[in-house]
Every structure is written in structure tokens, then in C-alpha cells.
Amino acid sequence: MTDAILLQRDRGLLILQLNRPDKKNALTRAMYSRLAEALEQADADPTINAVLIQGSSECFTAGNDIGDFLEQPPADLDSPPFYFMKSLLNCRKPVVAGVAGVAVGIGTTLLLHCDLVYVSRDARLRMPFVNLGLCPEFGSSLILPRLLGHAKAAELLLLGEEFSGAQAAEWGIATEALHSGEAALAKAREIAERFEVLAPGAVQVTKQLMKNVDREQLRQVIEEEGALFTQRLRSPEAIAALSGFINRR
């Protein structure tokens, strides 16, 4: 699985591509670790101006690889999924996402922490945590009610309702919805490359100012969600739901 995350450097742009098409880019522990390490390296490298995260023009990610997840579930906030969350949350460089096809679970919540997000209009986003006996993650229980209001956030988090890329852009989860997956990825690349000619120090300070509002509260919520998430993983509800998911597959 060494090629499940493809890293490409193009001048000052680092591209992180999810590349596990046979599993709909489902994320394993090793993939989380690789993403986290790449983000930290990019953040420390003064020659990198921006990071682009993308899947293919057919699929962003189906979320966690459930089999890998159940084999060694995250036990604490130092486990690979939370290591990735921390690295993305702390990244000082602008992070752009290109999204097409499905974006499930972490595939949606990570977008809440990217700076610019371009999606295909027909992308299918979903956060089915409750459906799997789990709870929200990555600050989504704080960010979504603030962004969408309680009623719409409840529809997405309590019911796990799917929504489209067009809706994501309308609601402010995405920056823009494009007519196809290819167009979404091309737009994300085009925008990410614009940071080549923008003053990197000014960009980073501006991002810091934008992100500093309620940053400490967000960190606390992410930690609380993470602790409850790991507890829920051991609950009979989650074990039954996740085992049923594996059996259906």
C-alpha cells in the first residue's frame, strides 16, 4: 500500500493524492500517518507555499477502511486518524481540496479544515457516524451548527443524510461546485497554484488570523469528540453496526 498516497511536488505546491481506487480511496492507519507526515513536512518547508489534497475525478474517499479500523481501532488521541487531524488543523500553509464522487465521514469533515474546497456538483458527501453507532469527529459538532444552524446540522449529523456538492457550495462547506469531477480537480489545482505568486508570509499570517477565532474551543471539542468516539467504538451499537457493514460487503 506504499502508493496509496501519491506525493507530487510542483514548484511550491505539494499535491497529496488519495490513490486506492479498488477500495474507493478508503483510508487506512498507514495512509493517515503518511498524510500527517506530509502535512507536517510541508508546513516546515519554506519552499512549499500550498498543499492540495485530492482523490480521483471519480472518487475522493469512502472514509475509513472499516476492516483496518476494526483490526486496530484508535485507542487514544495519538492514533493515526487523530494524528492526521492534528496535522491538518495545525498546518500554517493554505490547504486546497479537490473533491469528486463520494466523500464519506472523514472525507467530509476534513473539508471543514481546508481553506478552499472545490467539488463536483454531483459529488456525494455524507457523515454517517450515528448510522455506525459512533459520534461526530474533527470538530464537526461545533462547526456545522455554527455554519448551517442547528436544524440543518442535525439533519446531517443525527440522520447521516447525504448531500450533493452543489449543496455543499450553497451551504458554505465548499468554495465552489463545478460541472464535473475533472473540472473540480482542475479548478482546485489552478487555485492552489495561485499561491506561487502571493507573498507566503502574508498568506500565512492571514490564515492564522482567520483560524485564531475560537481555535482553543475547537481544539477542546475535537479532543472531546475523539475521546467519545473511541469509547463509542467499543460500544455494542458500534460493534454491531460496523460488523454488519463488513458482512454486507
Side-chain angles (χ1 to χ4, degrees):
M1 200 178 293
T2 55
D3 295 329
I5 302 293
L6 299 179
L7 273 61
Q8 179 187 349
R9 175 76 181 266
D10 184 4
R11 294 174 295 174
L13 175 62
L14 178 65
I15 302 169
L16 308 180
Q17 181 171 354
L18 311 179
N19 182 49
R20 202 181 173 211
D22 57 318
K23 299 294 185 181
K24 296 184 179 179
N25 294 337
L27 295 164
T28 63
R29 287 166 287 156
M31 292 169 71
Y32 276 121
S33 294
R34 185 68 175 123
L35 287 168
E37 290 164 0
L39 284 167
E40 289 187 344
Q41 290 167 6
D43 201 44
D45 187 339
T47 66
I48 291 179
N49 299 316
V51 177
L52 172 60
I53 301 176
Q54 63 181 29
S56 70
S57 58
E58 290 80 36
C59 178
F60 186 56
T61 173
N64 285 311
D65 182 304
I66 301 298
D68 183 83
F69 209 59
L70 289 177
E71 181 180 312
Q72 190 174 329
D76 54 47
L77 298 180
D78 292 323
S79 59
F82 297 113
Y83 174 32
F84 164 70
M85 292 180 196
K86 180 180 178 182
S87 299
L88 180 55
L89 183 66
N90 291 337
C91 188
R92 295 169 298 171
K93 308 294 175 69
V95 180
V96 182
V99 180
V102 297
V104 179
I106 188 75
T108 293
T109 60
L110 75 85
L111 302 179
L112 302 175
H113 301 277
C114 294
D115 300 294
L116 296 153
V117 177
Y118 299 91
V119 298
S120 61
R121 292 185 61 83
D122 61 356
R124 304 190 309 282
L125 299 88
R126 191 181 178 206
M127 294 168 285
F129 303 117
V130 168
N131 310 71
L132 295 173
L134 301 171
C135 69
E137 61 172 19
F138 212 172
S140 54
S141 65
L142 173 68
I143 297 170
L144 288 172
R146 287 185 173 180
L147 185 63
L148 308 177
H150 177 83
K152 179 55 68 176
E155 188 176 54
L156 303 184
L157 292 175
L158 290 179
L159 299 178
E161 290 288 300
E162 182 177 285
F163 57 102
S164 68
Q167 289 172 309
E170 179 185 347
W171 298 338
I173 294 172
T175 308
E176 183 180 349
L178 287 299
H179 62 84
S180 69
E182 291 85 354
L185 268 59
K187 181 71 173 184
R189 175 70 177 263
E190 173 194 337
I191 295 299
E193 289 177 343
R194 287 178 59 179
F195 289 104
E196 282 285 333
V197 296
L198 293 170
V203 168
Q204 290 174 41
V205 167
T206 301
K207 174 172 177 172
Q208 177 185 348
L209 289 168
M210 294 172 67
K211 295 285 189 178
N212 272 350
V213 179
D214 298 328
R215 175 178 285 269
E216 189 54 38
Q217 183 183 12
L218 179 57
R219 289 185 191 278
Q220 291 174 3
V221 170
I222 291 172
E223 290 182 3
E224 182 180 4
E225 287 174 339
L228 292 170
F229 193 97
T230 57
Q231 288 179 25
R232 293 296 312 165
L233 275 172
R234 299 188 292 272
S235 70
E237 289 178 341
I239 292 170
L242 293 167
S243 298
F245 179 86
I246 291 290
N247 291 334
R248 285 194 300 274
R249 292 189 63 184

Coordinates of all heavy atoms in Angstrom, one line a residue, residues 200-233:
P200 N 4.1 34.6 0.7 CA 3.8 33.5 1.6 C 3.6 33.9 3.0 O 2.8 33.4 3.8 CB 5.0 32.5 1.4 CG 6.1 33.4 0.8 CD 5.4 34.4 0.0
G201 N 4.4 34.9 3.5 CA 4.3 35.4 4.9 C 2.9 36.0 5.1 O 2.3 35.8 6.1
A202 N 2.5 36.8 4.2 CA 1.2 37.5 4.3 C 0.1 36.5 4.3 O -0.9 36.6 5.0 CB 1.0 38.5 3.2
V203 N 0.2 35.5 3.4 CA -0.8 34.4 3.3 C -0.9 33.7 4.6 O -2.0 33.5 5.2 CB -0.5 33.4 2.2 CG1 -1.4 32.2 2.3 CG2 -0.7 34.1 0.8
Q204 N 0.2 33.3 5.2 CA 0.2 32.5 6.4 C -0.3 33.4 7.6 O -1.1 32.8 8.5 CB 1.6 32.0 6.7 CG 2.0 30.9 5.8 CD 3.5 30.5 6.0 OE1 3.9 30.4 7.1 NE2 4.2 30.3 4.9
V205 N 0.0 34.6 7.7 CA -0.5 35.5 8.8 C -2.0 35.6 8.6 O -2.7 35.6 9.6 CB 0.2 36.8 8.8 CG1 -0.5 37.8 9.7 CG2 1.7 36.7 9.2
T206 N -2.5 35.8 7.4 CA -3.9 36.0 7.2 C -4.6 34.7 7.6 O -5.7 34.8 8.2 CB -4.2 36.3 5.7 OG1 -3.5 37.5 5.4 CG2 -5.7 36.5 5.4
K207 N -4.1 33.6 7.2 CA -4.7 32.3 7.6 C -4.8 32.2 9.1 O -5.8 31.8 9.7 CB -4.0 31.1 7.0 CG -4.6 29.8 7.5 CD -4.0 28.6 6.7 CE -4.5 27.3 7.4 NZ -4.2 26.1 6.6
Q208 N -3.7 32.5 9.8 CA -3.6 32.5 11.2 C -4.6 33.3 11.9 O -5.3 32.9 12.8 CB -2.2 32.9 11.7 CG -2.0 32.9 13.2 CD -0.7 33.5 13.6 OE1 0.2 33.7 12.8 NE2 -0.6 33.8 14.9
L209 N -4.8 34.5 11.4 CA -5.8 35.5 11.9 C -7.2 34.9 11.8 O -8.1 35.0 12.7 CB -5.7 36.8 11.3 CG -4.5 37.7 11.6 CD1 -4.3 38.9 10.7 CD2 -4.5 38.1 13.1
M210 N -7.5 34.3 10.6 CA -8.8 33.7 10.3 C -9.1 32.5 11.2 O -10.2 32.3 11.7 CB -8.9 33.4 8.9 CG -8.9 34.5 7.9 SD -8.8 34.0 6.2 CE -10.4 33.2 6.0
K211 N -8.0 31.7 11.4 CA -8.2 30.5 12.2 C -8.1 30.7 13.7 O -8.6 29.8 14.5 CB -7.2 29.5 11.8 CG -7.3 29.0 10.3 CD -8.4 28.0 10.1 CE -8.4 27.4 8.8 NZ -9.5 26.4 8.6
N212 N -7.6 31.8 14.1 CA -7.4 32.0 15.6 C -8.7 32.2 16.3 O -8.8 31.9 17.5 CB -6.5 33.2 15.8 CG -5.0 32.9 15.8 OD1 -4.7 31.7 15.8 ND2 -4.2 33.9 15.9
V213 N -9.7 32.6 15.7 CA -11.0 32.8 16.3 C -11.6 31.5 16.8 O -11.7 30.5 16.0 CB -12.0 33.5 15.3 CG1 -13.4 33.6 16.0 CG2 -11.5 34.8 14.8
D214 N -11.7 31.3 18.1 CA -12.3 30.1 18.7 C -11.4 28.9 18.5 O -11.9 27.8 18.6 CB -13.7 29.8 18.2 CG -14.7 30.9 18.5 OD1 -14.5 31.5 19.6 OD2 -15.6 31.2 17.7
R215 N -10.1 29.1 18.2 CA -9.2 27.9 17.9 C -9.1 27.0 19.2 O -9.2 25.8 19.0 CB -7.8 28.4 17.5 CG -6.8 27.3 17.4 CD -5.5 27.8 17.0 NE -5.5 28.2 15.6 CZ -5.2 27.3 14.6 NH1 -4.8 26.0 14.9 NH2 -5.2 27.7 13.3
E216 N -9.0 27.6 20.3 CA -8.9 26.8 21.6 C -10.2 26.0 21.8 O -10.1 24.9 22.2 CB -8.6 27.7 22.8 CG -8.2 26.9 24.0 CD -7.1 25.9 23.8 OE1 -6.1 26.3 23.0 OE2 -7.2 24.8 24.4
Q217 N -11.3 26.7 21.6 CA -12.6 25.9 21.8 C -12.7 24.8 20.8 O -13.1 23.7 21.1 CB -13.8 26.8 21.6 CG -15.1 26.1 21.8 CD -16.3 27.0 21.6 OE1 -16.2 28.1 21.0 NE2 -17.5 26.6 22.0
L218 N -12.2 25.0 19.5 CA -12.3 24.0 18.5 C -11.3 22.8 18.9 O -11.7 21.6 18.8 CB -11.8 24.5 17.2 CG -11.8 23.5 16.0 CD1 -13.1 22.9 15.8 CD2 -11.3 24.3 14.7
R219 N -10.2 23.1 19.4 CA -9.3 22.0 19.9 C -9.9 21.2 21.0 O -9.8 20.0 21.0 CB -8.0 22.6 20.4 CG -7.0 23.2 19.4 CD -5.7 23.7 20.0 NE -4.9 24.5 19.1 CZ -4.1 24.0 18.2 NH1 -4.1 22.6 18.0 NH2 -3.4 24.8 17.4
Q220 N -10.6 21.9 21.9 CA -11.2 21.2 23.0 C -12.3 20.3 22.5 O -12.5 19.2 23.0 CB -11.7 22.2 24.0 CG -10.7 22.9 24.8 CD -11.2 24.0 25.7 OE1 -12.4 24.2 25.8 NE2 -10.3 24.8 26.4
V221 N -13.1 20.8 21.6 CA -14.2 20.0 21.0 C -13.7 18.8 20.3 O -14.2 17.7 20.4 CB -15.1 20.8 20.1 CG1 -16.1 20.0 19.3 CG2 -15.8 21.9 20.9
I222 N -12.6 19.0 19.5 CA -12.0 17.8 18.8 C -11.5 16.8 19.7 O -11.7 15.6 19.5 CB -10.9 18.3 17.9 CG1 -11.4 19.2 16.7 CG2 -10.1 17.1 17.3 CD1 -10.4 19.8 15.8
E223 N -10.9 17.2 20.8 CA -10.4 16.2 21.8 C -11.6 15.5 22.5 O -11.6 14.3 22.7 CB -9.6 16.9 22.9 CG -8.2 17.4 22.3 CD -7.4 18.0 23.4 OE1 -7.8 18.1 24.6 OE2 -6.3 18.5 23.1
E224 N -12.7 16.3 22.8 CA -13.8 15.7 23.5 C -14.5 14.7 22.5 O -14.9 13.5 22.9 CB -14.8 16.7 23.9 CG -16.1 16.2 24.6 CD -17.1 17.2 25.0 OE1 -16.8 18.4 24.7 OE2 -18.1 16.9 25.6
E225 N -14.7 15.1 21.3 CA -15.2 14.2 20.3 C -14.4 12.9 20.1 O -14.9 11.8 20.0 CB -15.3 14.9 18.9 CG -16.4 15.9 18.8 CD -16.3 16.7 17.4 OE1 -15.2 16.6 16.8 OE2 -17.3 17.3 17.0
G226 N -13.1 13.1 20.1 CA -12.2 12.0 19.9 C -12.3 11.0 21.1 O -12.3 9.8 20.8
A227 N -12.3 11.5 22.3 CA -12.5 10.6 23.5 C -13.8 9.8 23.4 O -13.8 8.6 23.7 CB -12.4 11.4 24.7
L228 N -14.9 10.5 23.0 CA -16.2 9.9 23.0 C -16.2 8.9 21.8 O -16.8 7.8 21.9 CB -17.3 10.9 22.8 CG -17.5 11.8 24.1 CD1 -18.4 12.9 23.8 CD2 -18.1 10.9 25.2
F229 N -15.5 9.3 20.7 CA -15.5 8.4 19.5 C -14.8 7.1 19.8 O -15.3 6.0 19.5 CB -14.7 9.1 18.4 CG -14.9 8.5 17.0 CD1 -15.8 9.0 16.1 CD2 -14.1 7.5 16.6 CE1 -15.9 8.4 14.9 CE2 -14.2 6.9 15.4 CZ -15.1 7.4 14.5
T230 N -13.7 7.1 20.5 CA -13.0 5.9 20.9 C -13.8 5.1 21.9 O -13.8 3.8 21.8 CB -11.6 6.2 21.5 OG1 -11.8 7.0 22.6 CG2 -10.7 6.9 20.5
Q231 N -14.6 5.7 22.8 CA -15.5 5.0 23.7 C -16.6 4.3 22.9 O -16.9 3.2 23.1 CB -16.1 5.9 24.7 CG -15.1 6.4 25.7 CD -15.8 7.4 26.7 OE1 -17.0 7.4 26.9 NE2 -15.0 8.3 27.3
R232 N -17.2 5.1 21.9 CA -18.3 4.5 21.1 C -17.8 3.3 20.3 O -18.6 2.4 20.1 CB -18.8 5.6 20.2 CG -19.5 6.8 20.8 CD -20.8 6.4 21.5 NE -21.6 5.5 20.7 CZ -22.6 4.8 21.3 NH1 -22.9 4.8 22.6 NH2 -23.3 4.0 20.5
L233 N -16.6 3.3 19.9 CA -16.1 2.2 19.1 C -16.2 0.9 19.8 O -16.3 -0.2 19.2 CB -14.6 2.4 18.7 CG -14.3 3.3 17.4 CD1 -12.9 3.5 17.3 CD2 -14.9 2.5 16.2

